[in-house]
């Protein structure tokens, strides 16, 4: 044991004090604040504008809060805004989007998860080649295959139908989702799989009873990717869905880009916010799970 | 209970041959340990027996049945893994009963079997816990239970104790041995830990590069290693190996160290009269003389015995019950294990004499015992 001499008694002791206003803190918080403001201001303008009446908008103060709050633009956007000749609002597009979203998301995730499972645990001859080919699909620019796909769907009798657009979304989600699931399952120890096989479980039982319960985070990630991706899709919707099944995004475009009559900025803003509401809600609810799943699945492998 | 017979097994991954022409018979109720350095094919062999790897050629029999093409669950085996491999979302009870539920046993039978196994392994209090809430030792106990509950003839262990800390490993090792005595099942156990192999096994198969080097009792492996690899791999600290040449003088076989040849013309070498040769020696044969550190006798002064060398002590390592001293004989590294009461200082010179009845001599070229 060393004795305490006077010099050590007055020297530093305990945890080192931290300065709050250090250069590092100022830079970090400064950049973050600027970035946040940059993203929030447009959203603020949209919300404020959607709550104003047209006369107030014409006054031109786009940053000013509404003098008189009105929800009429929201009601009009949902119920009676005109797209071309029909004036039934966004609700038609909303229900179309729901009808496209639910089967596409469900089917694509179901198939991709089984794909990923088979590719990491039940390797067959040529499974690596198969996986590489599938990944290649993720890098092909969509524009190249639009027209061939139109012909393909026409021959299948699915062009301009709900089935057609669901098929398109399912197929296009496959590469990235399969990659996601394969990498997640690759991080599950092989011994777990072996133990289940010794216990007598087969292909489906191992998947359903052992892997599914421990894969919640990656399913949430896949769900978010698909929900936001399919909901925000404009391109496939406008080409393959057909006029009767136009998703919300296509209808939004038709409302906003009407060339006749007065530009109803408040209705346009309300319609845009309504269209973006679902992905926004999904992110807010599942942000934490999303990050956890991405960290668990996407990086490794 | 059933025996395991492996006949002419071949396995290759692509172009690399992992196991070739492998034969192994494990008797009913025997505890066989597969021992070898990592990458020697011991775990691969175990996976073949379990049916988790498809073999290229050969046959595997468990009991009376040819199980070469059978699914793992139909082979009558239970398996325990190094990483425990417990199903993380199921509690201990569900983990234990998973195989039984898959096989479609009635609820009453499942409950009874789980209770039985839980009693044997003393994990009754843990049944409702999830694996994450268990310690390493408890997890491995549950993993052993999962194999036990299936009522099979053969247990396969794939380095089951490697993930545990030293003390727990010793405890569970003894428990496993007790369990084997109680149940009497055939057990095949893979490990790279020679202490586990020596303490647990009825017989040990030492493997290297996919080939079984020696299949013998722990005693046979330790005291009469069949080749240089086995001699060097088993034993800690490892066997002293001294290179030299065999001579014959007046009907007496002698061993002369390479490095001493020029030192002293009078010195003829150490007598091998008491060494039990297993193959005919040849004059001038290049050999290695192997002697375990505990079979060296240290004395202060030269005795009359011809079989002694000068041993220069360099470092002393107290191990508790005994002391290992590291040093050199004629410039070659050499170690000796002596009792803890033997007091001496580093950098002294002592006489080391060998007990040649317990030595081993290997041919340098083939590495085989002579």
């Amino acid at each position: 044991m060393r004795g305490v001499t006077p010099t050590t008694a007055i020297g530093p002791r305990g945890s080192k004090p931290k300065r709050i206003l250090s250069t590092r803190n100022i830079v970090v918080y400064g950049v973050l604040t600027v970035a946040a403001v940059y993203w929030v201001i447009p959203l603020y303008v949209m919300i404020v504008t959607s709550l104003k009446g047209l006369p107030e908008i014409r006054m031109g103060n786009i940053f000013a809060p509404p003098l008189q709050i009105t929800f009429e633009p929201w009601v009009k956007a949902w119920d009676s805004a005109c797209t071309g000749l029909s004036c039934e609002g966004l609700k038609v597009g909303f229900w179309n989007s729901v009808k496209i979203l639910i089967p596409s998301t469900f089917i694509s995730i179901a198939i991709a998860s089984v794909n990923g499972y088979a590719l990491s645990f039940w390797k067959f001859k040529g499974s690596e080649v198969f996986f590489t080919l599938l990944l290649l699909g993720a890098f092909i620019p969509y524009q190249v295959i639009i027209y061939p796909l139109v012909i393909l769907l026409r021959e299948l009798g699915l062009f301009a139908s709900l089935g057609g657009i669901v098929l398109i979304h399912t197929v296009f989600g496959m590469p990235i989702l399969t990659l996601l699931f394969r990498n997640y399952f690759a991080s599950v120890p092989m011994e777990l799989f072996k133990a289940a096989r010794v216990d007598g479980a087969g292909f489906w039982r191992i998947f359903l009873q052992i892997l599914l319960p421990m894969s919640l985070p990656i399913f949430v990630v896949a769900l978010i990717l698909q929900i936001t991706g399919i909901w925000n899709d404009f391109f496939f919707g406008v080409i393959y869905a057909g006029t009767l099944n136009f998703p919300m995004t296509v209808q939004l475009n038709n409302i906003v880009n009407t060339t006749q009559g007065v530009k109803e900025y408040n209705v346009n803003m309300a319609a845009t916010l309504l269209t973006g509401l679902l992905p926004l809600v999904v992110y807010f609810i599942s942000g934490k799970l999303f990050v956890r799943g991405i960290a668990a699945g996407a990086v490794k492998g | 209970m059933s025996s395991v017979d492996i006949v002419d097994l071949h396995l290759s991954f692509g172009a690399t041959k992992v196991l070739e022409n492998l034969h192994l018979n494990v008797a009913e109720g025997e505890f066989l340990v597969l021992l070898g350095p990592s990458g020697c094919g011991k775990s691969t062999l175990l996976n073949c027996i379990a049916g988790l790897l498809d073999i290229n050629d050969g046959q595997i029999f468990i009991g009376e049945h040819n199980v070469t093409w059978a699914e793992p669950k139909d082979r009558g085996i239970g398996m325990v893994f190094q990483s425990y491999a417990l199903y993380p979302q199921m509690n201990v009870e569900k983990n234990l009963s998973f195989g039984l539920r898959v096989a479609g046993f009635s609820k009453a039978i499942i409950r009874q079997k789980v209770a039985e196994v839980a009693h044997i392994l003393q994990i009754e209090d843990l049944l409702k816990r999830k694996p994450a809430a268990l310690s390493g030792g408890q997890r491995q106990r549950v993993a052993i239970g999962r194999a036990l509950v299936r009522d099979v003839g053969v247990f396969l262990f794939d380095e089951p104790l490697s993930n545990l800390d030293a003390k727990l490993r010793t405890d569970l090792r003894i428990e496993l041995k007790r369990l084997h005595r109680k149940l009497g099942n055939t057990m095949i156990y893979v490990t790279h830990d020679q202490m586990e192999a020596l303490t647990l096994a009825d017989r040990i198969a030492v493997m290297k590069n996919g080939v079984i080097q020696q299949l013998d009792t722990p005693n046979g492996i330790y005291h009469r290693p069949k080749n240089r690899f086995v001699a060097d791999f088993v034993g800690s600290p490892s066997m002293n190996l001294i290179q030299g040449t065999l001579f014959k003088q007046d009907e007496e076989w002698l061993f002369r160290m390479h490095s001493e040849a020029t030192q002293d013309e009078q010195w003829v070498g150490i007598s091998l009269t008491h060494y039990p040769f297993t193959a005919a020696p040849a004059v001038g044969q290049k050999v290695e003389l192997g002697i375990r550190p505990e079979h060296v006798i240290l004395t202060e002064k030269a005795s009359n015995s011809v079989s002694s060398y000068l041993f220069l002590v360099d470092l002393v390592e107290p191990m508790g019950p005994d002391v290992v001293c590291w040093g050199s004989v004629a410039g070659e590294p050499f170690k000796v294990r002596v009792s803890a009461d033997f007091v001496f200082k580093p950098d002294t010179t002592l006489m080391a004499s060998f007990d040649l009845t317990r030595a081993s001599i290997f041919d340098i070229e083939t590495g085989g015992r002579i």
Side-chain angles (χ1 to χ4, degrees):
Chain A
M1 286 289 274
R2 249 189 309 173
V4 180
T5 61
T7 43
T8 57
I10 51 172
R13 182 184 172 145
S15 76
K16 195 176 168 185
K18 290 173 187 69
R19 276 196 311 154
I20 291 170
L21 275 178
S22 62
T23 330
R24 198 189 65 173
N25 279 358
I26 292 168
V27 170
V28 168
Y29 284 98
V31 169
L32 287 179
T33 310
V34 169
V37 168
Y38 184 79
W39 288 108
V40 165
I41 282 180
L43 186 67
Y44 165 78
V45 171
M46 283 178 78
I47 292 171
V48 168
T49 311
S50 74
L51 295 173
K52 290 175 183 170
L54 270 181
E56 204 185 319
I57 291 173
R58 287 197 197 98
M59 282 156 52
N61 305 322
I62 63 164
F63 292 107
L67 300 168
Q68 204 175 13
I69 291 179
T70 167
F71 290 100
E72 211 170 297
W74 287 76
V75 176
K76 189 174 178 194
W78 176 254
D79 217 30
S80 61
C82 291
T83 61
L85 292 176
S86 66
C87 290
E88 289 175 36
L90 268 178
K91 62 177 187 286
V92 184
F94 176 81
W95 290 115
N96 279 343
S97 277
V98 170
K99 272 188 272 180
I100 295 169
L101 178 72
I102 290 174
S104 310
T105 307
F106 182 76
I107 296 172
S108 60
I109 291 180
I111 296 176
S113 58
V114 176
N115 269 355
Y117 162 64
L119 284 172
S120 33
F121 287 114
W122 299 84
K123 292 215 167 90
F124 49 90
K125 215 172 184 149
S127 60
E128 293 301 312
V129 177
F130 175 80
F131 181 60
T132 315
L133 283 177
L134 194 64
L135 272 192
L136 223 60
F139 297 107
I140 293 176
Y142 292 159
Q143 293 84 334
V144 176
I145 44 177
I146 293 171
Y147 190 54
L149 274 178
V150 170
I151 296 172
L152 194 73
L153 285 185
R154 187 188 67 201
E155 295 304 314
L156 289 171
L158 287 171
F159 185 69
S161 72
L162 198 63
I165 184 74
V166 167
L167 180 68
I168 292 283
H169 279 308
T170 305
V171 169
F172 275 95
M174 211 45 61
I176 186 72
L177 288 183
T178 303
L179 173 74
L180 202 69
F181 279 106
R182 196 203 77 120
N183 285 359
Y184 184 80
F185 290 137
S187 69
V188 174
M190 195 66 186
E191 291 193 337
L192 200 64
F193 169 75
K194 286 181 177 174
R197 280 197 67 196
V198 171
D199 267 344
F203 185 92
W204 290 108
R205 195 190 287 268
I206 294 176
F207 180 63
L208 295 173
Q209 292 192 6
I210 292 168
L211 289 174
L212 269 198
M214 57 190 287
S215 313
L216 180 70
I218 205 66
F219 273 92
V220 171
V221 171
L223 212 60
I224 294 172
L225 277 182
Q226 284 302 82
I227 288 178
T228 53
I230 293 170
W231 191 269
N232 289 337
D233 162 67
F234 174 82
F235 195 62
F236 293 143
V238 81
I239 297 169
Y240 300 106
T243 40
L244 283 178
N245 302 310
F246 272 161
M248 207 172 181
T249 44
V250 177
Q251 250 202 334
L252 172 69
N253 175 63
N254 293 350
I255 291 174
V256 174
N257 287 339
T258 321
T259 45
Q260 290 173 334
V262 193
K263 274 257 187 227
E264 295 177 295
Y265 288 108
N266 51 359
V267 175
N268 291 351
M269 296 296 175
T272 310
L273 283 171
L274 277 174
T275 310
L277 212 54
L278 182 98
L280 217 57
V281 169
V282 167
Y283 278 129
F284 272 124
I285 294 174
S286 49
K288 250 189 198 152
L289 269 174
F290 183 72
V291 173
R292 186 139 55 98
I294 283 280
V299 183
K300 217 172 170 185
Chain B
M1 268 187 274
S2 19
S3 58
V4 176
D5 289 304
I6 295 157
V7 183
D8 197 21
L9 186 74
H10 287 256
L11 177 83
S12 45
F13 296 135
T16 27
K17 284 178 178 160
V18 184
L19 300 170
E20 219 177 335
N21 196 9
L22 192 139
H23 292 259
L24 181 66
N25 300 318
V26 186
E28 214 171 286
E30 185 176 5
F31 199 125
L32 181 100
V33 172
L34 299 172
L35 176 69
S38 46
C40 73
K42 54 194 194 304
S43 281
T44 310
L45 176 58
L46 200 72
N47 277 306
C48 289
I49 298 171
L52 294 167
L53 274 177
D54 262 342
I55 61 172
N56 295 95
D57 198 7
Q59 291 178 310
I60 298 170
F61 295 87
I62 294 178
E64 302 294 299
H65 309 285
N66 182 339
V67 297
T68 312
W69 291 348
E71 278 294 303
K73 67 175 159 87
D74 302 323
R75 295 191 174 205
I77 50 141
M79 195 158 174
V80 179
F81 298 91
Q82 179 180 357
S83 67
Y84 324 129
L86 298 178
Y87 312 126
Q89 304 297 326
M90 303 183 193
N91 64 22
V92 170
E93 190 178 6
K94 290 271 187 305
N95 259 290
L96 291 174
S97 63
F98 184 72
L100 300 174
R101 281 183 283 138
V102 173
F105 280 94
S106 77
K107 275 192 178 152
I109 292 179
I110 291 177
R111 204 173 312 128
Q112 185 208 331
K113 284 191 171 190
V114 169
E116 238 170 69
V117 167
H119 178 71
I120 293 176
L121 294 168
Q122 299 174 331
I123 47 173
E124 286 131 315
D125 317 338
L126 310 175
L127 286 179
K128 295 293 171 206
R129 288 212 213 156
K130 288 262 179 78
L134 301 177
S135 69
Q138 290 169 331
R139 282 182 207 179
Q140 197 51 285
R141 229 176 272 231
V142 175
I144 293 168
R146 197 169 55 181
L148 276 181
V149 85
R150 295 184 62 242
D151 233 347
V152 288
V154 181
F155 289 134
L156 308 175
F157 295 92
D158 193 355
E159 309 210 15
L161 306 183
S162 300
N163 279 9
L164 303 173
D165 63 62
K167 179 162 174 5
L168 215 53
R169 207 179 303 162
T170 322
D171 292 350
L172 262 177
R173 195 172 76 199
I174 291 163
E175 249 181 83
L176 264 179
K177 195 159 188 173
R178 249 184 222 129
L179 196 69
H180 178 242
R181 251 190 30 199
K182 191 145 117 196
L183 302 172
N185 291 51
T186 310
M187 293 188 177
I188 304 179
Y189 187 105
V190 164
T191 183
H192 60 256
D193 182 332
Q194 45 172 305
M195 276 314 289
E196 270 172 35
L198 292 169
T199 50
L200 283 169
D202 292 327
R203 281 194 305 165
I204 299 174
V206 181
M207 289 183 71
K208 182 199 174 192
N209 296 338
V211 179
I212 295 177
Q213 305 288 319
Q214 186 173 5
L215 176 62
D216 206 339
T217 59
N219 209 20
I221 295 273
Y222 191 76
H223 293 288
R224 287 176 305 281
K226 227 167 149 184
N227 59 37
R228 198 187 172 281
F229 171 77
V230 177
D232 193 43
F233 186 74
V234 180
S236 171
S238 60
M239 188 184 267
N240 296 300
L241 289 162
I242 308 163
Q243 298 199 345
T245 315
L246 292 184
F247 284 97
K248 207 173 184 187
Q249 198 174 55
D250 307 335
E251 294 303 302
E252 190 186 22
W253 282 100
L254 297 166
F255 170 85
R256 181 187 274 187
M257 221 191 292
H258 278 165
S259 42
E260 70 184 338
T262 50
Q263 284 175 0
D264 185 356
E265 291 298 314
Q266 298 301 305
W267 172 251
V268 282
I270 51 176
S271 162
L272 299 177
T273 312
H274 298 295
Y275 178 74
F277 280 107
T278 52
V283 174
Q285 194 174 2
K286 300 261 184 278
V287 294
E288 269 180 303
L289 175 69
I291 184 92
R292 295 234 173 254
E294 63 269 32
H295 297 152
V296 179
I297 302 140
L298 288 183
T299 43
E300 299 273 344
K301 275 189 204 127
S303 61
N304 291 332
S305 157
V306 280
S307 55
S308 57
Y309 286 112
L310 280 179
F311 173 55
L312 180 68
V313 184
D314 169 36
L315 195 82
V316 180
E317 226 183 10
M319 311 280 273
D322 43 29
V323 174
V324 176
C325 17
W326 301 76
S328 57
V329 162
E332 302 289 321
F334 199 85
K335 53 258 173 197
V336 181
R337 188 197 284 269
V338 285
S339 124
D341 359 299
F342 199 95
V343 183
F344 54 98
K345 300 176 213 95
D347 297 321
T348 50
T349 306
L350 295 165
M351 292 308 295
S353 42
F354 306 164
D355 180 357
L356 279 167
T357 54
R358 304 165 101 167
S360 304
I361 298 178
F362 305 107
D363 184 89
I364 274 195
E365 263 164 46
T366 62
R369 184 188 185 88
I370 55 172

